[in-house]
Amino acid sequence: MEQSVSGVVFGLFCRKYIAVFLSLLLTSVGAAAQEEFESPEPVLISEAGSARALAVNAENWPGGLPTSSTASVQAGSRIVVFVTNIGPMDGEGANAFRVFASAPDGKQYRLIVEDLQRLPKRVGIYALTLRVADANGYNGQPAPAKGGLAIRVSWRGNTSNRLRLTSGRLPVPDPDGLVPSPAPVRQPVIAQRFTTGGDRIRFMEQATFGSNSALDFRLRQLGLKRWIEDQFFKAYPTIPYSNFAQKPFDDTVGCGGPYGTNPDVDLCHRNHYWIYDNQKWMIREALYGDDQLRRRVSWALHQIWVVSARTVYQNRWMQEYTEILDRNAFGNYRDLMREMTLSPAMGEYLDMVRSTRQNPNENYPRELLQLFTVGLYMLNQDGTYQLDGQNNRIPTYDQAKIDQFTKVFTGWSQCSSAANPACANIAVGAPNFIDPMILLTPGNHDQTAKTLFNYAGAPNQTIAACANCTNDTNRIAYANDSLNRTLDNIFYHPNLGPFVAQRFIQHFVTSDPSPAYVSRVAAAFNDNGAGVRGDMKALIKAVLLDPEARGSRKTDPTYGKMREPLQYVTNLLRTYNVRAGTHSSSGPTTPPASCQGQSDGIFHWIMGDMGQDVWAPPTVFNYYPPDYVVPGTDILGPEFAMQNTGSSFSKNNSILYFTMGQGMWLESATASNPYPYVPCGTSLDISEITALASADTTGNALIEGLNTKMMHGTMSDAMKTKIRTAINFSVPAADKARQALFLVASSSQYQIQR
Amino acid sequence: MKDNRRDFIRKSGCALSMMALATQARHFGLMSAMAQAPENSSAAPPSDYRALVCILLSGGNDGNNLIVPNHSDATISNYAAYSSARAAQGLAIAQNQLLPITVPRLSNLAYGLNPSLGNVSGGNAGIHPLWAQGRLAAVVNTGNLTRPLSKTTYQQNPSWRPYQLFSHSDQVQQQQSSRADSPNPIGWGGRIADRTNAANNPTGRVPMITSIGGTQLFTLGQSTTPLAINDASTPLNEVLVTYSTCCTDPFSAARTTALAELRTVDLDSELVRATSHIMDQAQSASTALSSFQEVTAVFPNTDLGQQLKQVARMIKKRTDLNVNRQVFFVELGGFDTHQNQTNAQAGQPALLSQLSQAMRAFYDEMGAQGIQDKVTQFTLSDFGRTMNPAGSGSGVGSDHAWGNHMLVLGGSVIGGNIYGSLRTDGSGNYLPTLTLGGPDDVDTSGGRGRWLPTTSVDQYAATLGRWFGLADADMPAIFPNLANFSSSNLGFMTP
């Protein structure tokens, strides 16, 4: 509503000027305007003139809005509270809301929300039934004593005012400064937001490796939805894969000598046996690629379907794995399941390549179920755990089931038969990590019957023993058929939708999404609207265009995610026009022409220092686990698993070199070092913010510029004041710009993407 | 070979970056931050210092090849029983390779330690000799449990089992949380620190827990977050150096001030607050660690060796840091030996050798510091591994299982013996019967040898916690399932 008004105003404004641009501008503004989803902030209703939440016990509630608070608040009580200034969508019920409570001792609880009802006779007011109990109980259980609980309601990443939930006397003065709520409203009010495209910047942080002006212009032209669709058809990769030849396992054989023999041998090691080139390629793709969305999706898939260069150490091997991720990023999850299962890199990493009927290996089937598809516990469609009568989670499978699944994945091995036309990419003397795995020795496949998942409607609950495995042709056919049936049995498991939805939301938007958000995304995964399950395009749109993702500001204190180190660095660099280095420790300061002015993407060692050595996660559980809880809270925060005293400093120092310093220096080729590691270097371009610092000596323009581009307009006044004080010196404008940029980029406020 | 290559990549990368950073730091005149503060030498050493050093063998160490029967007594699983389960596939250790130990609690029968725990040419004597010296003990057939189980109760009561048996991520978490009943974001190291920090380290300049292996579950408490630092390849006074707090010119000083003050605002976001809190902690620890004295023992230049060396440096600095109780966490990965377990360069022999050499160096260093009896090293691991091998020949390995053997080493350990709980079948043994499909095998697929543990990690942890200073009254809050077991003290620590 508000947006259409501003659209009209903008249109009128345009008409007064150059008519030629009118239609273009109207189109572009129109596209964006249709899509802006600003959600209002809920208001929790208080007793008149009091900071006490209007609340009644559920069993005593006659319906309607009570005139005073009569609730007896005890541990375990079911309480009805009242919320306004919201506008739930169809299907948006109790699981779209969270109620957070803090006790006088500082402990935080997440109360169980059981029901949402619209009050039929009171327009715009909703009754929320909650239980004074914490579902996960990390802090124990709330026992409302003196002072009661300070509660607030959050919805779509926005939070309400706080009120006191208590049946005792209200403390005077209120220790948390709580005040009565504003009067209920009939129509949701969206506070006036930003005119700086804050939501577009947020969108770019979520959907790409960082915002920049060119992308922002493109988004204005297309709108978010059409930009996503445009990305679906973008050619990829922008930076070509390196396509090094496959080499033997042993590097000294493959390179004609150990590392250190001579520069050419060393180059061979670097190109073939280290992940140097893949890291360089990945970071350059992130910095300069036009296929940003595919790159983000592929990167997220890498962190679910983990293969690590710590084991799969040849560049060409990891490249083939990456190509599978890239190829399936906008495809169907079921196809990814099959391609990844038969990937030689995965086969090597999780031992399927060694699993035989005689000596089965459980590693791949176990992780396929636990980490890649259905997870350990039965899920509701909104991603919450199903519980049994004793409130325990229900395991998805047990060891006996693993044993059964294991049989299906026996007998496969690398395509190393030169006589087999399927093994077209075999290289003499080297293992074949390009062609999918095959049944080289079909007799190694387990031909006995298997009992798979038996959820309601499960396809292929059993696979019969092979009836005709008297020759290799039939054995191969049986194994292939069994694999497809088994993957279908997994693919249609009801856990898959919420499992994938939760992880994708965590990778793109927020670490601890509301169940309602998970359920909307899971629904799109389950059915793309045309009856197709597993459609990645539908999944991605649902994640990025959801109202919990969109909006220019989110106020829920638990909302957002820590930028993972790769995002952290690339976001900063892309925002300020990342380019080649401008300094060298010795020698010329102009990068070679072959760099074309661009960064070489070589800063992977700072990645390792910050905890995310690109392509080389420490284990199959990724660089960080999806269920990591932020220390001192009960909020999921996967990326916090990498945040500690050491990596905090590494981040600070890394950012310092790009901002206060000249970035990564470039390294010239010399007779003794013909193959430099950092041929182009990396720096960022501060001319834009220097101009702001120069034009406005108060520093305000500089700070607002940083606020818009890095924090999409959400920088607090307190933060602005601190930065203004730190740059209020008679120093060159460039120094001010660098100082302010460093302070924003290194801040906790920027490290959290909200 | 692969690991060496990896290490090389990592280390060469780090070396380059440190060099580049240091060069640039000088360029900016930022090095003064690294100026060393004088050691606080006037304070008396803490009178009652104690430290626990947790060594996580991640991936699941194969305990079946850690302690092996080396006798032919027919009443108890003997070498022949061991050999018959593993020799055909090439996973059995030859009897003449085993390092001899005797076990008083099993009538002084002969057992053997893995040969990698012994003397290494160019290294040290390993931990094997410390068994005979009474400083090394094993806590056997221990695992994640919520309550004591027999094979029958295990089979009849799925809900009594630890959640997600045989899954790495869950089992390694339960080892660290001692909460086999449900997922929990708090580790038992963290809970011990929550309970004891204020009383023991009232003016401590660093957190009670220091982790060289990242912020792992073991180290997280309700109010405790660990100090996380790099291994000894980074000098202790450089593990936490930020180049942004350096100079005295007003403009630079304003940067330093703003950097600190920005962490005091916008704390309504819990994620921002947590991020700022971790950085605050890093800053104060950085000040506390601005100088150190090098250790005297020779530590191996290995992953674990360098981690334990860093721990030893911290301990040497305990007086200056004003800490009376400390918990350390280090981690050695690679034990998930589904394949190539016997590989001398990268398999279990190499890993156990690395473990033994590093533990021994650390033990000797504690001797040099005069506090051998104040510091106890102990191991955790995801789980044991199947007695029945996976694969055969040179690629032979083993799969995920359950009951496992732990090592405890220190001057206060009543070593030279095994500890745990007697099996309930009256056999008089603490060790599992090494028979596939036998009385201790709870494998469902026909006897791969997944041993039902008789001792819980809670009992093991509580025994260590008691030595550290926990009172009986502290136990229920820290180990909620401990009361289900008959003993909260396995007896391997001197009081």
Side-chain angles (χ1 to χ4, degrees):
Chain A
M1 207 164 48
E2 169 203 75
Q3 283 75 26
S4 61
V5 171
S6 64
V8 171
V9 172
F10 199 8
L12 286 172
F13 173 79
C14 294
R15 210 168 295 144
K16 289 171 73 178
Y17 292 88
I18 308 167
V20 175
F21 288 153
L22 180 62
S23 60
L24 172 66
L25 278 169
L26 276 178
T27 308
S28 61
V29 170
Q34 282 167 17
E35 280 185 342
E36 270 197 42
F37 314 88
E38 294 286 352
S39 295
E41 284 176 3
V43 172
L44 190 57
I45 300 177
S46 68
E47 275 189 332
S50 146
R52 187 194 304 274
L54 194 55
V56 293
N57 291 94
E59 59 274 20
N60 301 332
W61 181 46
L65 189 68
T67 51
S68 65
S69 211
T70 59
S72 163
V73 182
Q74 306 297 332
S77 305
R78 291 178 69 235
I79 306 276
V80 182
V81 296
F82 300 88
V83 184
T84 186
N85 203 40
I86 55 174
M89 304 182 291
D90 286 349
E92 205 173 13
N95 69 354
F97 293 83
R98 282 177 173 169
V99 176
F100 295 93
S102 55
D105 62 4
K107 284 189 178 171
Q108 303 281 328
Y109 303 97
R110 190 181 294 206
L111 304 187
I112 297 170
V113 182
E114 295 187 340
D115 188 43
L116 177 78
Q117 289 182 38
R118 196 167 66 83
L119 296 192
K121 292 180 182 170
R122 296 298 296 260
V123 175
I125 297 182
Y126 295 78
L128 204 57
T129 306
L130 49 94
R131 186 182 287 278
V132 185
D134 189 313
N136 60 34
Y138 291 158
N139 280 328
Q141 289 298 333
K146 267 196 303 190
L149 298 165
I151 63 166
R152 61 183 179 80
V153 175
S154 80
W155 173 65
R156 296 184 181 173
N158 284 326
T159 197
S160 73
N161 54 321
R162 296 167 78 210
L163 293 174
R164 200 156 290 282
L165 181 66
T166 178
S167 42
R169 292 163 62 98
L170 281 181
V172 181
D174 191 284
D176 298 311
L178 305 189
V179 296
S181 60
V185 292
R186 296 174 68 87
Q187 290 287 330
V189 177
I190 301 170
Q192 184 59 44
R193 302 284 178 162
F194 307 93
T195 55
T196 49
D199 189 39
R200 280 198 309 277
I201 305 265
R202 290 190 68 239
F203 177 82
M204 286 186 275
E205 291 173 345
Q206 293 163 354
T208 76
F209 281 93
S211 66
N212 62 28
S213 309
L215 248 177
D216 192 45
F217 184 73
R218 189 83 179 134
L219 281 173
R220 282 168 179 266
Q221 286 181 314
L222 295 179
L224 309 187
K225 187 161 167 243
R226 279 170 60 199
W227 180 84
I228 292 174
E229 285 161 356
D230 186 51
Q231 285 282 300
F232 288 158
F233 296 99
K234 270 274 182 284
Y236 70 93
T238 305
I239 315 292
Y241 301 119
S242 21
N243 275 319
F244 292 122
Q246 300 193 81
K247 290 277 187 180
F249 272 116
D250 189 331
D251 53 357
T252 57
V253 173
C255 287
Y259 184 80
T261 302
N262 64 51
D264 292 340
V265 168
D266 292 358
L267 180 69
C268 168
H269 281 263
R270 185 176 92 186
N271 284 348
H272 294 276
Y273 289 94
W274 302 356
I275 49 167
Y276 169 86
D277 206 77
N278 280 353
Q279 292 185 328
K280 169 178 155 176
W281 170 84
M282 175 67 205
I283 293 171
R284 278 178 48 73
E285 273 278 294
L287 294 179
Y288 297 113
D290 295 326
D291 52 347
Q292 286 283 308
L293 183 59
R294 186 184 297 268
R295 192 59 40 225
R296 275 298 297 266
V297 173
S298 177
W299 181 243
L301 287 172
H302 157 58
Q303 298 191 54
I304 297 170
W305 293 81
V306 172
V307 167
S308 174
R310 293 188 187 210
T311 303
V312 181
Y313 53 83
Q314 284 195 21
N315 249 308
R316 188 64 186 81
W317 302 351
M318 286 300 282
Q319 179 192 323
E320 197 61 29
Y321 158 77
T322 309
E323 288 192 43
I324 294 174
L325 301 174
D326 286 0
R327 188 157 61 230
N328 289 283
F330 298 151
N332 190 291
Y333 206 78
R334 173 66 176 78
D335 296 332
L336 176 66
M337 287 168 65
R338 182 178 168 88
E339 276 211 66
M340 210 37 104
T341 298
L342 297 182
S343 151
M346 182 63 86
E348 173 72 22
Y349 188 55
L350 294 182
D351 300 311
M352 184 172 148
V353 72
R354 281 168 285 273
S355 183
T356 62
R357 169 175 64 83
Q358 302 85 343
N359 288 292
N361 191 306
E362 300 166 357
N363 208 7
Y364 181 72
R366 182 186 297 283
E367 308 307 8
L368 171 66
L369 297 180
Q370 177 178 339
L371 300 177
F372 308 157
T373 57
V374 298
L376 292 170
Y377 300 101
M378 291 302 294
L379 301 175
N380 299 308
Q381 284 305 296
D382 65 6
T384 56
Y385 293 112
Q386 295 181 19
L387 300 176
D388 65 14
Q390 284 76 49
N391 267 340
N392 293 316
R393 298 176 186 179
I394 303 164
T396 312
Y397 50 82
D398 58 12
Q399 179 60 35
K401 198 65 85 183
I402 294 278
D403 296 340
Q404 294 291 309
F405 275 97
T406 297
K407 295 196 226 173
V408 177
F409 300 91
T410 54
W412 299 85
S413 54
Q414 278 158 339
C415 209
S416 56
S417 162
N420 190 326
C423 308
N425 290 295
I426 196 166
V428 177
N432 186 352
F433 273 78
I434 297 182
D435 298 305
M437 294 195 289
I438 60 167
L439 288 146
L440 203 58
T441 311
N444 283 347
H445 181 72
D446 190 314
Q447 297 154 14
T448 62
K450 295 100 187 164
T451 308
L452 308 179
F453 288 136
N454 62 352
Y455 52 88
N460 313 319
Q461 298 185 18
T462 57
I463 292 175
C466 186
N468 64 348
C469 282
T470 51
N471 59 52
D472 279 355
T473 306
N474 290 354
R475 290 185 194 109
I476 290 171
Y478 174 75
N480 268 295
D481 181 61
S482 297
L483 178 61
N484 280 331
R485 285 170 181 273
T486 302
L487 293 180
D488 277 341
N489 178 263
I490 300 169
F491 178 69
Y492 287 99
H493 193 288
N495 267 27
L496 186 67
F499 179 92
V500 175
Q502 169 98 12
R503 275 156 185 73
F504 264 69
I505 293 169
Q506 287 183 320
H507 277 291
F508 289 85
V509 178
T510 186
S511 294
D512 202 343
S514 77
Y517 183 11
V518 175
S519 82
R520 291 191 288 270
V521 175
F525 181 91
N526 293 344
D527 183 345
N528 67 353
V532 177
R533 180 182 177 81
D535 178 0
M536 297 293 291
K537 292 176 180 168
L539 170 76
I540 294 158
K541 280 187 180 175
V543 168
L544 292 173
L545 298 176
D546 191 272
E548 191 159 322
R550 299 273 53 81
S552 48
R553 181 198 282 265
K554 296 294 184 185
T555 57
D556 182 346
T558 66
Y559 185 89
K561 68 192 286 277
M562 174 171 277
R563 291 174 210 259
E564 60 184 296
L566 182 62
Q567 292 287 337
Y568 183 47
V569 175
T570 61
N571 286 7
L572 170 68
L573 293 178
R574 281 175 59 90
T575 300
Y576 290 104
N577 194 21
V578 56
R579 57 187 186 174
T582 55
H583 280 64
S584 169
S585 54
S586 60
T589 55
T590 307
S594 60
C595 298
Q596 298 184 306
Q598 292 190 344
S599 160
D600 47 36
I602 308 299
F603 43 90
H604 54 259
W605 46 79
I606 70 171
M607 301 310 304
D609 288 353
M610 290 189 288
Q612 193 172 35
D613 201 4
V614 171
W615 297 125
T619 71
V620 71
F621 301 103
N622 192 21
Y623 307 94
Y624 48 89
D627 55 355
Y628 190 83
V629 176
V630 180
T633 76
D634 62 356
I635 312 164
L636 294 178
E639 294 84 359
F640 272 88
M642 293 181 289
Q643 188 81 351
N644 55 48
T645 43
S647 61
S648 291
F649 271 45
S650 295
K651 282 185 175 178
N652 184 82
N653 292 340
S654 302
I655 290 304
L656 185 84
Y657 292 113
F658 284 119
T659 54
M660 297 304 294
Q662 306 291 340
M664 291 285 152
W665 286 348
L666 53 93
E667 185 186 0
S668 306
T670 62
S672 61
N673 180 25
Y675 308 113
Y677 281 78
V678 194
C680 308
T682 304
S683 66
L684 44 75
D685 178 357
I686 60 157
S687 57
E688 176 188 321
I689 51 174
T690 302
L692 292 173
S694 181
D696 175 3
T697 53
T698 66
N700 288 337
L702 170 62
I703 291 169
E704 286 307 328
L706 294 166
N707 179 23
T708 300
K709 289 218 159 178
M710 298 184 71
M711 300 189 67
H712 41 84
T714 63
M715 191 186 290
S716 69
D717 290 342
M719 184 170 176
K720 290 177 189 172
T721 303
K722 304 284 183 204
I723 295 171
R724 196 179 295 113
T725 305
I727 59 172
N728 188 20
F729 287 84
S730 296
V731 295
D735 289 0
K736 282 192 188 187
R738 287 185 181 281
Q739 182 120 314
L741 179 61
F742 166 70
L743 288 171
V744 175
S746 65
S747 70
S748 306
Q749 290 87 334
Y750 179 70
Q751 289 190 50
I752 302 303
Q753 172 189 313
R754 293 181 77 195
Chain B
M1 285 302 286
K2 294 176 196 172
D3 283 344
N4 290 343
R5 178 179 299 107
R6 230 332 281 165
D7 273 349
F8 176 77
I9 297 168
R10 188 162 63 88
K11 296 213 163 87
S12 61
C14 284
L16 185 50
S17 76
M18 285 311 296
M19 192 173 65
L21 296 185
T23 313
Q24 297 198 12
R26 273 193 297 278
H27 177 70
F28 297 120
L30 301 181
M31 293 297 276
S32 57
M34 292 154 72
Q36 296 188 357
E39 192 82 15
N40 178 359
S41 52
S42 58
S47 57
D48 179 32
Y49 181 81
R50 287 189 183 189
L52 288 170
V53 182
C54 174
I55 304 173
L56 175 66
L57 309 178
S58 62
N61 179 37
D62 180 20
N64 292 315
N65 271 7
L66 184 71
I67 298 170
V68 178
N70 197 7
H71 59 77
S72 53
D73 188 315
T75 64
I76 200 164
S77 286
N78 54 28
Y79 184 80
Y82 163 81
S83 176
S84 77
R86 290 199 146 182
Q89 298 90 340
L91 194 56
I93 299 168
Q95 198 163 5
N96 62 7
Q97 299 287 307
L98 292 168
L99 302 175
I101 56 172
T102 56
V103 177
R105 297 185 105 187
L106 294 177
S107 314
N108 285 318
L109 281 172
Y111 280 77
L113 292 182
N114 187 292
S116 298
L117 302 183
N119 185 58
V120 168
S121 169
N124 58 44
I127 59 175
H128 168 243
L130 301 177
W131 184 280
Q133 293 176 28
R135 293 293 171 253
L136 174 67
V139 181
V140 300
N141 201 22
T142 299
N144 300 318
L145 285 171
T146 61
R147 64 176 79 204
L149 288 174
S150 67
K151 188 169 177 175
T152 306
T153 55
Y154 167 83
Q155 288 168 338
Q156 290 175 348
N157 301 283
S159 66
W160 290 8
R161 302 171 191 168
Y163 68 92
Q164 290 300 339
L165 276 171
F166 317 123
S167 145
H168 275 295
S169 56
D170 294 84
Q171 297 307 305
V172 79
Q173 282 190 16
Q174 291 166 41
Q175 288 274 305
Q176 297 177 63
S177 70
S178 82
R179 289 296 299 273
D181 52 331
S182 66
N184 194 287
I186 305 296
W188 62 267
R191 283 200 297 273
I192 289 177
D194 285 345
R195 201 79 173 179
T196 60
N197 185 57
N200 288 282
N201 302 346
T203 56
R205 301 173 67 197
V206 292
M208 177 179 270
I209 304 187
T210 298
S211 175
I212 322 289
T215 38
Q216 300 265 16
L217 179 60
F218 176 81
T219 66
L220 294 175
Q222 194 71 59
S223 57
T224 298
T225 48
L227 172 68
I229 58 176
N230 293 331
D231 70 20
S233 59
T234 307
L236 198 55
N237 62 339
E238 287 180 21
V239 290
L240 296 172
V241 173
T242 173
Y243 297 110
S244 50
T245 55
C246 70
C247 312
T248 52
D249 70 277
F251 187 60
S252 298
R255 175 169 72 240
T256 306
T257 303
L259 195 64
E261 290 187 352
L262 281 172
R263 294 200 299 273
T264 66
V265 298
D266 298 324
L267 305 182
D268 51 331
S269 162
E270 296 194 36
L271 302 180
V272 170
R273 187 173 65 209
T275 309
S276 288
H277 174 71
I278 295 169
M279 189 60 170
D280 279 340
Q281 209 171 45
Q283 286 287 4
S284 47
S286 170
T287 307
L289 297 177
S290 57
S291 68
F292 75 106
Q293 291 180 348
E294 191 51 281
V295 297
T296 52
V298 177
F299 280 81
N301 189 20
T302 59
D303 184 356
L304 189 65
Q306 292 301 300
Q307 293 185 58
L308 285 175
K309 182 176 179 180
Q310 195 75 303
V311 172
R313 285 174 177 167
M314 284 286 288
I315 291 177
K316 196 163 184 174
K317 215 176 143 49
R318 63 194 179 279
T319 306
D320 183 46
L321 297 176
N322 284 344
V323 285
N324 207 28
R325 287 284 187 283
Q326 284 187 284
V327 178
F328 295 92
F329 179 87
V330 298
E331 178 178 3
L332 178 60
F335 285 91
D336 192 20
T337 50
H338 288 280
Q339 48 126 350
N340 294 335
Q341 182 172 322
T342 59
N343 185 297
Q345 275 77 45
Q348 196 195 23
L351 293 167
L352 289 181
S353 177
Q354 184 179 157
L355 174 72
S356 162
Q357 292 291 301
M359 286 179 80
R360 180 60 193 260
F362 183 83
Y363 176 82
D364 290 345
E365 170 62 25
M366 293 304 103
Q369 293 187 22
I371 49 171
Q372 221 155 36
D373 60 336
K374 307 287 191 194
V375 181
T376 304
Q377 305 177 66
F378 67 95
T379 63
L380 294 178
S381 193
D382 310 25
F383 36 56
R385 307 193 74 83
T386 54
M387 188 68 185
N388 170 236
S392 63
S394 64
V396 69
S398 52
D399 288 328
H400 306 177
W402 194 0
N404 200 7
H405 308 322
M406 316 292 197
L407 296 176
V408 194
L409 173 62
S412 286
V413 176
I414 307 171
N417 218 336
I418 62 170
Y419 294 85
S421 309
L422 280 173
R423 289 182 35 217
T424 52
D425 60 1
S427 65
N429 198 355
Y430 296 85
L431 291 157
T433 299
L434 302 179
T435 305
L436 302 182
D440 294 310
D441 187 356
V442 292
D443 183 50
T444 50
S445 67
R448 295 204 57 203
R450 289 182 157 100
W451 312 134
L452 177 69
T454 45
T455 300
S456 74
V457 76
D458 308 38
Q459 295 171 281
Y460 175 57
T463 308
L464 291 162
R466 185 184 308 275
W467 172 78
F468 191 71
L470 293 181
D472 281 343
D474 297 330
M475 296 296 180
I478 296 176
F479 306 107
N481 297 322
L482 184 63
N484 296 338
F485 299 91
S486 58
S487 169
S488 67
N489 187 351
L490 299 175
F492 57 82
M493 300 300 297
T494 53

